[in-house]
């Protein structure tokens, strides 16, 4: 029975009177939280509890911005590296192609009369000389120049014309690369 009495006392202590409940309706959430935690010492003002949350949200925003800035810096660095690697690779491929055209043209133009393996007619000779002069005219100092693409297209067209005039065909191997 003593325990029941203690329970009733605790219940009656926690029940609000009508006046208390009316004043409770005018309280803000902050006031209510302060009242509920009065003995705990955690909340002590209208902004209590929010400063820590604001600080956490501020830290998150700061870390997001730092991460974004680091990502941009790393991405730029990696992009420059990847671009350089791709440029070297494509430049090497283009150099191989143009060197092949020029080397074959020079070999056919300078083959001795006694051991001619490929018959070079007058028109073919002119086309091969054009190939060599166009390869020498490729602008190597400014690869972003729009003329570079045009000159390479002209070299390829003259190359195909020279092969056709000599009665040769281009042999494509595997992935469509050069026939060496």
């Amino acid at each position: 029975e003593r325990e029941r009495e203690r329970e009733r006392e605790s219940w009656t202590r926690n029940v609000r009177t009508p006046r208390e409940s009316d004043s409770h309706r005018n309280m803000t959430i902050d006031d209510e939280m302060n009242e509920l935690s009065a003995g705990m010492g955690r909340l002590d003002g209208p902004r209590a509890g929010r400063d820590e949350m604001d600080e956490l949200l501020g830290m998150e925003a700061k870390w997001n911005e730092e991460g974004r800035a680091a990502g941009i810096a790393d991405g730029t660095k990696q992009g420059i590296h990847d671009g350089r690697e791709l440029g070297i690779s494509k430049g090497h491929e283009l150099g191989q192609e143009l060197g092949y055209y020029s080397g074959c043209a020079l070999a056919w133009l300078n083959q001795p009369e006694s051991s001619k393996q490929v018959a070079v007619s007058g028109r073919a000779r002119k086309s091969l000389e054009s190939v060599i002069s166009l390869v020498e005219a490729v602008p190597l100092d400014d690869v972003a120049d729009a003329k570079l693409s045009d000159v390479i297209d002209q070299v390829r067209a003259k190359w195909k014309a020279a092969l056709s005039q000599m009665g040769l065909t281009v042999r494509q191997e595997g992935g469509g690369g050069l026939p060496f």
Side-chain angles (χ1 to χ4, degrees):
E1 285 187 34
R2 284 185 186 172
E3 285 182 36
R4 285 186 187 175
E5 276 183 46
R6 285 185 196 154
E7 273 184 46
R8 279 187 213 157
E9 286 177 17
S10 68
W11 281 75
T12 56
R13 270 188 260 153
N14 292 333
V15 174
R16 296 177 183 220
T17 63
R19 270 189 285 166
E20 290 177 275
S21 63
D22 289 343
S23 66
H24 175 70
R25 289 182 190 160
N26 295 330
M27 294 178 81
T28 65
I29 292 174
D30 287 335
D31 294 336
E32 195 172 331
M33 288 179 66
N34 286 337
E35 183 180 293
L36 290 173
S37 62
M40 296 183 209
R42 281 191 245 159
L43 304 173
D44 56 353
R47 289 209 25 97
R50 290 190 183 175
D51 290 336
E52 291 86 10
M53 185 59 76
D54 289 344
E55 186 177 328
L56 286 175
L57 291 174
M59 289 173 68
E60 180 183 7
K62 178 183 168 193
W63 291 337
N64 281 339
E65 187 56 37
E66 287 175 1
R68 183 176 183 276
I72 288 172
D74 290 347
T76 300
K77 185 177 179 181
Q78 187 65 37
I80 289 170
H81 175 74
D82 291 348
R84 182 176 295 125
E85 291 294 318
L86 181 63
I88 289 170
S89 173
K90 292 300 178 183
H92 181 74
E93 289 175 15
L94 185 60
Q96 278 186 316
E97 180 182 1
L98 295 176
Y100 175 76
Y101 296 154
S102 181
C104 289
L106 284 170
W108 287 326
L109 288 173
N110 296 318
Q111 63 184 337
E113 290 291 326
S114 62
S115 66
K116 279 203 172 193
Q117 295 178 358
V118 177
V120 180
S121 67
R123 287 179 67 197
R125 178 172 290 283
K126 194 171 183 176
S127 292
L128 291 171
E129 289 170 352
S130 292
V131 166
I132 293 169
S133 66
L134 285 170
V135 167
E136 291 172 354
V138 171
L140 300 176
D141 56 340
D142 186 14
V143 294
D145 189 1
K147 288 192 270 182
L148 177 66
S149 177
D150 295 338
V151 172
I152 292 171
D153 289 343
Q154 289 174 350
V155 170
R156 289 175 180 151
K158 283 292 181 181
W159 175 253
K160 288 179 183 177
L163 291 180
S164 176
Q165 292 161 355
M166 292 185 295
L168 301 174
T169 58
V170 177
R171 180 182 63 173
Q172 295 286 329
E173 299 203 9
L178 295 173
F180 351 104

